[in-house]
Amino acid sequence: MILGIGTDLANIDRIAGTLDRFGDRFRHRVFTPTELARAARRKDEAGTLAKRWAAKEACSKALGTGLAMGISWRDMAVGNLPSGQPVMALTGWAAERLARMTPPGHHAIVHVTLTDDHPWAQAFVVIEARPGTTPA
């Protein structure tokens, strides 16, 4: 069953401007060390971070809160499987919210997809509950 969906569209040039203006203060407030390391290896750091920004916004919407009610940017982290597929990990308040949303006898799966076409970065998040207490 679907517990929540969210989408977000971020302007890569806006993120680049924010990086220029606030630098590491912005980076460390919003992104995890793993996210920052991946972006640093990329030719287009701003584009990589814009996709992750959009994913965090989309995830907060799928959780039904937006970026309110105590969710921290860093409570939602985008990683990648060896295949390159993006994955979303939740910690802190975001993980607590997800646990409260998940019906008894189910486990939650957060699906995320990312795309970009300069100057836009987009993310879509679907939170699914599957029967059983552990992921397959």
Side-chain angles (χ1 to χ4, degrees):
M1 90 180 61
I2 302 299
L3 299 179
I5 60 171
T7 189
D8 192 68
L9 185 66
N11 185 290
I12 295 169
D13 293 334
R14 180 174 162 250
I15 297 296
T18 302
L19 288 167
D20 289 343
R21 184 170 178 195
F22 297 105
D24 285 344
R25 184 173 147 214
F26 171 69
R27 283 179 183 89
H28 297 296
R29 178 173 176 248
V30 175
F31 303 102
T32 66
T34 301
E35 291 170 318
L36 292 172
R38 183 172 186 85
R41 292 190 306 267
R42 297 295 179 106
K43 182 172 67 171
D44 182 15
E45 178 192 27
T48 300
L49 294 178
K51 285 187 281 190
R52 279 143 181 80
W53 170 281
K56 291 166 188 267
E57 286 274 6
C59 186
S60 70
K61 293 170 186 175
L63 289 167
T65 65
L67 283 163
M69 299 173 59
I71 289 180
S72 166
W73 287 103
R74 291 169 47 117
D75 285 348
M76 301 166 286
V78 179
N80 294 85
L81 298 177
S83 65
Q85 177 184 345
V87 293
M88 178 74 70
L90 304 183
T91 59
W93 199 93
E96 292 170 16
R97 170 71 179 162
L98 180 62
R100 286 193 305 273
M101 291 172 60
T102 305
H106 289 72
H107 66 275
I109 301 170
V110 180
H111 303 276
V112 61
T113 188
L114 309 172
T115 192
D116 66 295
D117 187 7
H118 195 90
W120 301 108
Q122 183 178 28
F124 191 78
V125 171
V126 175
I127 301 176
E128 173 189 11
R130 288 189 186 165
T133 55
T134 57

